[in-house]
Amino acid sequence: ETPIVTHRVDAHSGWIRGVAVSPDGTKLASCGNDLRIVVRDAITMEVLQTLTGHPGHVLSVVWMKDSQRLLSGDLMGDIRLW
């Protein structure tokens, strides 16, 4: 059976480098070459927050177990806790 796309969003200007769903399943975070992390509601895809401050392309994003905090890493070697 072929999967059906239910949502399509323009999350970033440029490449998307990572996507992560929060452990509680309520939020989605994406990161990319535009130096941003975008946090969305996992059901509606509404933007909840945009995180900026990385000096290089954001290459990875992962949720902490509490589903409230994120760790991210960039091309310059920075790791950030949000």
Side-chain angles (χ1 to χ4, degrees), residues 5-77:
V5 175
T6 60
H7 289 82
R8 183 189 176 285
V9 295
D10 292 324
H12 295 271
S13 58
W15 291 9
I16 294 174
R17 296 293 187 155
V19 176
V21 177
S22 62
D24 66 6
T26 64
K27 292 175 275 203
L28 173 81
S30 59
C31 62
N33 286 2
D34 59 2
L35 315 183
R36 300 181 308 142
I37 299 163
V38 179
V39 179
R40 295 178 178 274
D41 180 281
I43 302 299
T44 66
M45 292 295 152
E46 174 187 349
V47 175
L48 302 174
Q49 197 170 19
T50 300
L51 305 171
T52 59
H54 273 285
H57 301 297
V58 187
L59 303 177
S60 62
V61 63
V62 64
W63 286 96
M64 302 295 284
K65 288 184 182 182
D66 64 8
S67 296
Q68 299 300 310
R69 297 173 295 156
L70 289 164
L71 279 171
S72 58
D74 70 29
L75 188 64
M76 304 301 290

